[in-house]
Amino acid sequence: MDGSADALTLERITLDQVMLPLKAPFETSYGRELERRFYVVGVHADGISGYAETVATDEPLYSEETNQTVHHVIVDLLAPRLFAGPIVQPEDVGRRFRPFRGNRMAKAALEMAVWDWFARRAGIPLHQLLGGSRTDIPVGVSIGIQPTTADLVALARDFWAQGYRRLKIKIRPGMDIVPLAAVREALPDTPIMADANSAYTLDQLPLLKELDQLDLMMVEQPLAEDDIIDHATLQRAIQTPVCLDESIRTREDARKAIEIAACRVINIKPGRVGGFAEARAIHDIAAAHGIPVWCGGMLESGIGRAGNLHLTTLANFVLPGDTSASDRYFAEDLIDPPFRLTDRGTLMVPTGPGIGVAPDGARLQRYRTGHEEIQPR
Ligand code: OSB
Ligand code: MG
C-alpha cells in the first residue's frame, strides 16, 4: 500500500509551557515536587491537531533530561526532522529520531502527539491504532514519602477507601521498613508495593531482604538507575519481585534485563522510553517472556494520563499502574471533564478519536506560562 496520500505533512508544531500546582508536595527518594512544569506539544496539519505532554522536570533528578534540554532538543533537532518529509505512519517518527542518542522524553512527546494525530485523522480511539482492546483500566496510586508514619498510614487508608486497587509507597533509606510495616499492619489485605527510585545499593542487602517480610507485590527500582547487573544479584537474593522503572529505557534494555533475570515486572512509561511504539515493543517482549507489566506515570496532566490509558489497553498490562484520577494531584486538570475514579477502582479509556481528550482552552490560558510556534524552515 502506498500511504503517501494519507501521510502527515506537518504544518506547525506548538509548545505550550504549563505550570500546574500540585495539591500537596510529592516527595521521592531524590526530591520534593511542589508543582508540575511541562510542555503541551501540538502537531498540526490538515485541520487536525494531535497532542501529548512532556514528562521532564526542571532538574535532572529522575533522568538526565530537563525541561530546558527537552525544549532545545524539540525545537533545534527533532522538529526539523519531522518537517523534513511526509510521515507515513506513527512508527516512522522513532526511526527518524534514531540518529540522535537518548533524549527520549523530548522524542516521546512529539512521537505521541503524532500517534494522536493519526488516530484522530482515522476517527478512531488511539488504543485501536495501538492494538489494545480494554476499555476500563484498574488503577493504583503512588504515595510520596510522608513526614511521619502516621501521616502515611492515614493517606494509605484514604486512598484505599477511595477504591484504588493497589498502593505504591515511595521509600528511601531511613523511611522504608518501619513505614511499610505500619501500612501493611493497617491494611493487611491490600496490594502494596514500594518504589525506591534508585536509593539503595547492594551494601544494604540485609535491609532489602527484610522487605520479604512485608508481603509486597514488588519493589520498584531499588538500585542504580543505570544498572541491571546488581538488580539481578538482588533478585536472586530476595523473594519479593523486583520491578524496573528507570533502568528500562529501550526494548533492548528490557530484553537484556529479562535475559539476566534482573526483574520479574516492568513499569512502562512511554515518556521514559521515547514514545508509544517503544513502549509497545517493551510490552511485547515482556509478554513473550511471561513478564507482567504496568503503566507508570510522571504526574501527568489529563493529556498524558489519556495516552497512558490507551497504552494500558494492551493485553499484558495485567497489574494496576499509577494512572490515578486527575484529583489525586490537581485541583484542576488541563482537560474538562477530568479523569475520575469509577466505583470499580478503574479509569475509563476515552472513546473519542485519538487520545479522546484535548487541552481545555480556558484552563490552558490559566496555567500557561509560555507559547511558541515552530514552522518548517
Ligand atoms: O518513579 O514512578 C516513579 C512520579 C514522578 C517521577 C517518577 C515516579 C513518579 C511516581 C508517581 O511514582 C507516578 C504518577 O502518579 O504519575
Ligand atoms: Mg518509579
Side-chain angles (χ1 to χ4, degrees):
M1 189 185 81
D2 175 12
S4 58
D6 294 330
L8 160 59
T9 301
L10 205 54
E11 294 162 13
R12 199 161 53 93
I13 296 171
T14 49
L15 291 182
D16 284 296
Q17 188 181 43
V18 175
M19 192 284 277
L20 270 184
L22 294 178
K23 279 162 73 172
F26 186 75
E27 186 170 336
T28 66
S29 62
Y30 60 73
R32 204 160 197 259
E33 295 178 59
L34 306 172
E35 59 197 28
R36 185 129 194 285
R37 292 181 181 276
F38 60 102
Y39 294 94
V40 173
V41 176
V43 298
H44 311 273
D46 303 337
I48 297 167
S49 297
Y51 292 102
E53 70 179 86
T54 59
V55 298
T57 43
D58 283 350
E59 298 180 315
L61 297 172
Y62 170 83
S63 79
E64 297 91 332
E65 293 185 78
T66 68
N67 278 316
Q68 275 201 55
T69 69
V70 160
H71 180 271
H72 155 59
V73 170
I74 288 178
V75 172
D76 299 322
L77 301 166
L78 301 179
R81 290 255 163 172
L82 280 194
F83 286 127
I87 299 159
V88 175
Q89 51 183 9
E91 286 88 344
D92 293 349
V93 176
R95 281 191 278 274
R96 214 174 276 190
F97 292 167
R98 193 165 302 153
F100 297 131
R101 312 270 176 174
N103 293 288
R104 294 176 190 88
M105 291 177 174
K107 291 172 176 172
L110 279 173
E111 197 250 17
M112 295 189 293
V114 168
W115 275 98
D116 184 34
W117 187 94
F118 271 92
R120 282 181 202 267
R121 208 268 314 271
I124 58 172
L126 174 62
H127 69 83
Q128 222 169 299
L129 208 55
L130 289 169
S133 52
R134 266 177 315 144
T135 56
D136 197 23
I137 307 296
V139 294
V141 63
S142 178
I143 307 179
I145 294 168
Q146 300 301 311
T148 71
T149 294
D151 292 317
L152 173 65
V153 169
L155 213 50
R157 283 189 195 280
D158 180 42
F159 283 126
W160 184 242
Q162 287 179 37
Y164 284 107
R165 303 275 278 262
R166 71 93 166 102
L167 306 179
K168 165 168 138 180
I169 293 158
K170 293 286 189 180
I171 57 170
R172 63 165 166 79
M175 292 289 255
D176 40 42
I177 305 297
V178 170
L180 283 172
V183 176
R184 173 45 77 221
E185 189 178 58
L187 299 167
D189 302 319
T190 299
I192 295 172
M193 59 169 292
D195 185 2
N197 289 108
S198 297
Y200 298 84
T201 69
L202 282 180
D203 291 343
Q204 287 141 307
L205 187 57
L207 182 138
L208 292 167
K209 279 184 172 167
E210 287 182 52
L211 295 172
D212 282 345
Q213 307 308 312
L214 297 168
D215 187 24
L216 301 178
M217 300 171 76
M218 68 193 88
V219 58
E220 181 179 344
Q221 198 68 39
L223 308 177
E225 90 292 346
D226 57 355
D227 166 78
I228 57 172
I229 304 291
D230 283 358
H231 279 100
T233 303
L234 174 66
Q235 184 66 94
R236 282 194 301 274
I238 65 174
Q239 265 115 54
T240 306
V242 170
C243 170
L244 290 178
D245 173 355
E246 285 90 329
S247 292
I248 306 296
R249 302 156 308 173
T250 63
R251 69 188 80 186
E252 280 294 279
D253 285 347
R255 177 183 66 76
K256 292 168 190 172
I258 293 169
E259 197 170 302
I260 66 168
C263 63
R264 291 190 196 142
V265 184
I266 294 175
N267 164 350
I268 300 181
K269 298 176 180 174
R272 187 190 73 225
V273 304
F276 290 132
E278 198 68 19
R280 186 174 61 184
I282 293 169
H283 162 278
D284 293 349
I285 286 170
H289 290 86
I291 298 286
V293 304
W294 52 275
C295 186
M298 297 292 288
L299 317 181
E300 289 95 334
S301 83
I303 305 294
R305 253 158 238 280
N308 289 343
L309 286 174
H310 283 279
L311 179 68
T312 309
T313 63
L314 298 174
N316 191 37
F317 280 93
V318 290
L319 298 166
D322 284 342
T323 315
S324 43
S326 300
D327 72 357
R328 187 259 171 273
Y329 291 115
F330 310 114
E332 191 172 62
D333 201 336
L334 276 190
I335 61 165
D336 186 22
F339 282 110
R340 293 196 179 87
L341 192 68
T342 69
D343 56 13
R344 302 175 298 284
T346 64
L347 295 192
M348 303 289 294
V349 182
T351 53
I355 57 174
V357 303
D360 175 73
R363 290 170 178 213
L364 190 57
Q365 285 273 14
R366 205 165 313 151
Y367 298 107
R368 179 154 57 192
T369 50
H371 176 81
E372 276 168 272
E373 309 247 341
I374 317 170
Q375 248 122 22
R377 281 191 275 224

